[in-house]
């Protein structure tokens, strides 16, 4: 025990001893080189498997090893191989079997991640660049056989450090893979088929064993981190296919299973296939993001909202009508003129694959279907009408055009929503003549209106005069009527008066007669009662009393003739004065 401690101390102090002992530290690998042996290595071999002189397949692990005499062995203490996190390391083998001519990378064999050189060689490991890679970790590699390329040594080996970093496929993107090893792609194909079990190209050997092809691959890598050998595969990141709202995506696949048409017998102008087959997929892609390999598939966006196409100077945002212009037509009377037309169409989501299968793209639909259908219809129909007839019956022409175009587009699985005729540009010389004629006609109408106004004015004056005369006539007629009525009233009044007088006379006569008779009767009774003389005296007295007959005069004149007259006059004057005072008092 004491001897071993002494030997260890001597070794640690670097004191050479003759016991052939070698100390390998924890982070070292002992590479053994045998200086001489009874057998030499076979031609083309670098590592010895059976004790031949040269580099030995086995390495020395950490610890103290004996029997490695300096005169027979040389021990190379190489540092362990460290692959940092987030990186991979590539391996280049200096010995092994030759790589077959159809491949460019050495196959993966069981060798504990290249840490067992003997197993690598015994199991058929191949010389050159390897399919296998080293992921993050620490490895004890026989550097005599394997050259490990890490990120730190990338530049020295003709590589960029970023090539040895883990592949990070970003979100919303897909990785399009091109492999550099495998069998050639079959004739008639543009990409290798999908191979199962290779862990998204991370197990390159499984890809090759499964019949993987060299070149562009149908399968894509989705978002994530991948351990890929850059000698084996190249990855290009592209955005996912985004289908906006209001659109569907029709997939035209150039790869996949054999073409099998599922469109049916009624659809004779194209063919459709189910998803995964080569051809136009019968099921479209709906709005969203889709991981489509755009190197082997084409996605045609088809609007499912109404599309307005203008045969005019105006261009819509979708730009499908950028090649359309006003339609030049010729009328029945030989005039050429231009029409601005707008056509509204709609393609259903389930009809979109049929449309694309038939015409290839929406732009082709506009250029090769809509443009000739709409343009030729208006050119043909315009020949049946004069320019003025076309202008005058524009609404009817529009209805006829909509019906014709709707029926024509239905054969292409396209719905024609409406056809609208915009501005019509007739010949300038025709419009000038028409304008002059219209102005003359309007002037004529103006003169007619003015003439009618004058006639109306004359009629008004006449009627006003007649109304004035009529008023006098009416007044006269009314006067006549009044006079007649007055006369009639007078006649009737006179008749009434006459009748009244007659009746009054009769009444008075009757009254007089009755009175007379009464008086006669009274007289007779009075005579009989008083006698004729006495009754007469009574009647006279009654009359004198009723009529205030003065029997005695107010002024009596007596005496001589001269004095009597004066006294009479004075008496009259006094009487009159007395009567005047009495009358004043009564007032």
């Amino acid at each position: 025990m004491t001897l071993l401690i002494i030997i260890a101390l001597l070794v640690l102090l670097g004191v050479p001893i003759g016991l052939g002992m070698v100390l390998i530290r924890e982070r070292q690998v002992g590479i053994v080189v045998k200086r001489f042996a009874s057998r030499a290595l076979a031609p083309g071999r670098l590592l010895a498997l059976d004790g031949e002189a040269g580099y030995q397949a086995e390495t020395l692990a950490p610890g103290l090893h004996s029997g490695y005499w300096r005169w027979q062995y040389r021990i190379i203490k190489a540092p362990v191989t460290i692959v940092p996190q987030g990186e991979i390391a590539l391996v280049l083998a200096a010995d092994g079997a030759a790589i077959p001519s159809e491949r460019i990378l050495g196959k993966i064999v069981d060798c504990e991640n290249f840490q067992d050189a003997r197993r690598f060689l015994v199991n058929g490991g191949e010389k050159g660049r390897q399919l296998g890679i080293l992921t993050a970790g620490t490895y004890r590699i026989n550097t005599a056989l394997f050259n490990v390329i890490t990120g730190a040594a990338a530049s020295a080996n003709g590589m960029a450090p970023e090539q040895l970093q883990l592949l990070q496929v970003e979100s919303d993107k897909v990785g399009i893979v091109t492999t550099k090893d495998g069998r050639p792609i079959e004739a008639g194909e543009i990409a290798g088929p999908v191979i199962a079990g290779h862990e998204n190209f991370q197990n390159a050997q499984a890809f090759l064993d499964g019949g993987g092809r060299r070149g562009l691959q149908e399968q894509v890598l989705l978002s994530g981190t991948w351990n890929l050998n850059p000698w084996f595969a190249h990855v290009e990141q592209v955005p996912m296919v985004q289908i906006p709202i209001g659109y569907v995506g029709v997939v035209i696949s150039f790869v996949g299973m054999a073409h099998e048409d599922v469109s049916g017998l009624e659809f004779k102008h194209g063919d459709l296939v189910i998803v995964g087959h080569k051809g136009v997929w019968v099921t479209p892609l709906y709005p969203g993001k889709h991981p489509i390999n755009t190197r082997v598939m084409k996605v045609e966006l088809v609007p499912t909202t109404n599309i307005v196409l203008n045969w005019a100077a105006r261009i819509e945002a979708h730009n499908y009508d950028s090649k359309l212009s006003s339609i030049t037509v010729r009328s029945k009377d030989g005039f050429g003129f231009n029409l601005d037309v707008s056509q509204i169409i709609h393609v259903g989501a389930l009809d979109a694959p049929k449309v694309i299968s038939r015409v290839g793209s929406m732009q082709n639909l506009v250029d090769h279907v809509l443009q000739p259908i709409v343009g030729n219809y208006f050119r043909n129909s315009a020949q049946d009408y004069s320019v003025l007839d076309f202008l005058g019956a524009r609404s009817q022409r529009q209805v006829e055009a909509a019906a014709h175009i709707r029926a024509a587009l239905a054969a292409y699985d396209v719905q024609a929503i409406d056809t609208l005729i915009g501005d019509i540009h007739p010949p300038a010389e025709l419009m000038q003549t028409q304008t002059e004629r219209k102005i003359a006609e309007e002037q004529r109408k103006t003169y007619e209106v003015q003439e009618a106004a004058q006639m109306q004015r004359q009629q008004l004056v006449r009627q006003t005069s007649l109304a004035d005369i009529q008023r006098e006539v009416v007044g006269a007629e009314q006067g006549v009527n009044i006079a007649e009525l007055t006369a009639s009233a007078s006649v009737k009044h006179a008749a009434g008066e006459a009748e009244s007088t007659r009746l009054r006379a009769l009444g008075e006569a009757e009254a007089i007669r009755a009175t007379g008779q009464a008086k006669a009767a009274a007289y007779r009774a009075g005579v009989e009662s008083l006698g004729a003389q006495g009754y007469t005296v009574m009647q006279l007295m009654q009359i004198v009393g009723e009529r205030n007959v003065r029997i005695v005069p107010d002024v009596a004149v007596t005496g001589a003739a001269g004095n009597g007259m004066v006294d009479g006059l004075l008496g009259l004057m006094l009487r009159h004065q007395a009567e005047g005072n009495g009358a004043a008092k009564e007032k």
Side-chain angles (χ1 to χ4, degrees):
M1 191 65 172
T2 303
L3 180 60
L4 292 175
I5 294 173
I6 294 172
I7 293 173
L9 290 174
L10 291 175
V11 172
L12 291 174
L13 293 174
V15 178
I17 57 174
L19 299 177
M21 300 185 68
V22 178
L23 178 63
I24 305 299
R25 301 181 183 278
E26 287 296 328
R27 302 187 68 82
Q28 290 180 338
V29 177
I31 309 299
V32 180
V33 181
K34 194 172 185 180
R35 298 179 186 276
F36 60 89
S38 58
R39 289 183 300 175
L41 285 172
R45 299 303 300 270
L46 177 64
L47 263 69
L49 295 176
D50 298 320
E52 299 92 342
Y55 288 101
Q56 302 300 302
E58 287 80 6
T59 59
L60 299 180
L64 186 61
H65 302 272
S66 60
Y68 292 94
W69 313 105
R70 294 184 62 183
W71 52 271
Q72 188 176 9
Y73 296 98
R74 182 167 67 92
I75 307 300
I76 301 173
K77 298 179 180 181
V80 295
T81 300
I82 299 175
V83 180
Q85 290 291 331
E87 294 185 9
I88 61 170
L90 303 178
V91 180
L92 183 65
D95 198 358
I99 297 175
S101 58
E102 68 272 12
R103 298 205 331 269
I104 63 171
L105 299 176
K107 65 182 180 180
I108 297 176
V109 297
D110 180 17
C111 59
E112 296 185 8
N113 289 316
F114 304 103
Q115 296 181 103
D116 191 334
R118 174 176 289 277
R119 289 170 63 183
F120 174 83
L121 296 174
V122 170
N123 291 334
E126 296 169 343
K127 183 189 303 184
R129 295 186 297 176
Q130 301 297 303
L131 279 174
I133 61 173
L134 297 178
T135 58
T138 302
Y139 301 90
R140 301 185 182 278
I141 303 296
N142 188 337
T143 55
L145 175 60
F146 301 113
N147 178 22
V148 179
I149 304 174
T150 61
S155 299
N157 289 273
M159 300 185 68
E162 54 269 19
Q163 288 182 277
L164 298 178
Q165 295 177 352
L166 296 181
L167 176 66
Q168 179 72 40
V169 178
E170 301 176 12
S171 59
D172 295 335
K173 289 189 176 182
V174 294
I176 297 178
V177 181
T178 301
T179 59
K180 302 176 182 180
D181 203 352
R183 290 184 292 175
I185 294 175
E186 294 181 359
E189 300 291 341
I190 65 171
V194 176
I195 303 298
H198 55 80
E199 300 176 7
N200 290 304
F201 304 99
Q202 295 180 110
N203 189 342
Q205 190 62 52
F207 174 83
L208 296 178
D209 293 343
R213 306 290 176 165
R214 179 188 309 169
L216 182 63
Q217 300 299 306
E218 180 180 343
Q219 182 180 350
V220 297
L221 292 178
L222 302 181
S223 175
T225 302
W226 311 101
N227 293 309
L228 290 187
N229 185 339
W231 286 340
F232 168 68
H234 170 73
V235 178
E236 176 188 4
Q237 297 190 44
V238 298
M240 287 187 178
V241 173
Q242 183 171 353
I243 309 298
I245 295 175
Y247 288 79
V248 294
V250 178
V251 179
I252 305 172
S253 179
F254 305 109
V255 297
M257 292 180 280
H259 181 92
E260 294 181 5
D261 185 18
V262 296
S263 60
L265 297 177
E266 296 181 356
F267 188 66
K268 300 178 181 179
H269 302 281
D271 50 14
L272 303 172
V273 298
I274 61 175
V275 176
H277 287 250
K278 188 183 299 185
V280 179
W281 289 0
V282 69
T283 303
L285 302 179
Y286 290 94
K289 294 183 178 180
H290 303 269
I292 299 296
N293 188 339
T294 53
R295 295 291 182 271
V296 298
M297 297 178 186
K298 182 181 178 182
V299 179
E300 282 290 337
L301 290 179
V302 178
T304 54
T305 55
N306 288 351
I307 305 172
V308 180
L309 302 169
N310 298 309
W311 278 259
R314 184 175 67 259
I315 299 175
E316 298 293 332
H318 51 63
N319 211 39
Y320 292 137
D321 53 359
S322 60
K323 299 179 183 178
L324 303 180
S325 58
S326 296
I327 302 172
T328 301
V329 300
R330 188 165 295 277
S331 64
K332 184 178 181 180
D333 46 3
F335 288 102
F337 61 98
N338 293 333
L339 291 175
D340 288 349
V341 177
S342 294
Q343 178 66 49
I344 305 174
I345 64 172
H346 173 74
V347 178
L350 297 180
D351 292 329
K354 295 181 182 179
V355 173
I356 297 303
S357 178
R358 184 193 297 265
V359 299
S361 67
M362 286 298 295
Q363 191 63 57
N364 288 344
L365 175 67
V366 175
D367 295 342
H368 305 320
V369 177
L370 279 161
Q371 185 174 17
I373 287 177
V374 175
N376 289 334
Y377 171 78
F378 282 103
R379 293 186 187 96
N380 295 336
S381 63
Q383 294 178 351
D384 297 332
Y385 306 94
S386 67
V387 177
L388 299 181
D389 290 340
F390 202 97
L391 286 170
R394 167 178 167 174
S395 298
Q396 182 62 27
R397 303 290 83 77
Q398 182 171 288
V399 172
E400 294 171 356
H404 175 84
I405 295 172
R406 184 178 297 109
L409 291 183
Y412 292 87
D413 298 295
V414 177
Q415 302 175 34
I417 304 301
D418 203 356
T419 302
L420 305 172
I421 298 177
D423 292 337
I424 301 176
H425 307 281
E429 58 273 17
L430 176 63
M431 291 310 298
Q432 182 178 358
T433 303
Q434 191 69 15
T435 301
E436 292 175 353
R437 182 184 303 173
K438 188 66 176 177
I439 291 173
E441 181 179 353
E442 292 299 323
Q443 288 178 342
R444 180 181 60 81
K445 289 181 180 180
T446 301
Y447 297 151
E448 291 176 354
V449 171
Q450 290 175 348
E451 180 182 3
Q454 292 297 330
M455 294 179 66
Q456 188 70 23
R457 182 174 174 273
Q458 294 174 4
Q459 186 69 18
L460 177 62
V461 172
R462 184 180 297 109
Q463 292 298 328
T464 302
S465 299
L466 290 176
D468 293 340
I469 295 172
Q470 187 69 20
R471 181 171 55 188
E472 295 177 1
V473 170
V474 170
E477 290 178 352
Q478 294 298 322
V480 171
N481 291 335
I482 291 171
E484 290 178 352
L485 292 174
T486 303
S488 178
S490 299
V491 170
K492 289 183 179 180
H493 180 70
E497 288 291 331
E499 183 67 18
S500 175
T501 302
R502 186 181 66 81
L503 291 176
R504 188 168 57 251
L506 290 176
E508 289 178 354
E510 289 296 330
I512 292 171
R513 185 181 296 111
T515 303
Q517 290 176 357
K519 286 182 177 181
Y523 183 79
R524 284 193 298 269
V527 169
E528 290 176 359
S529 167
L530 298 176
Q533 185 176 2
Y535 185 75
T536 300
V537 172
M538 186 183 67
Q539 289 291 341
L540 289 173
M541 293 300 293
Q542 184 178 358
I543 292 170
V544 170
E546 289 177 355
R547 299 184 179 182
N548 295 323
V549 176
R550 295 181 181 275
I551 299 175
V552 181
D554 293 333
V555 179
V557 178
T558 62
N563 293 332
M565 185 63 69
V566 172
D567 291 339
L569 289 172
L570 289 173
L572 287 174
M573 292 176 63
L574 290 173
R575 181 175 177 272
H576 287 161
Q577 184 175 3
E579 289 178 354
N581 292 334
K585 288 179 180 181
E586 289 178 359
K587 292 181 179 180

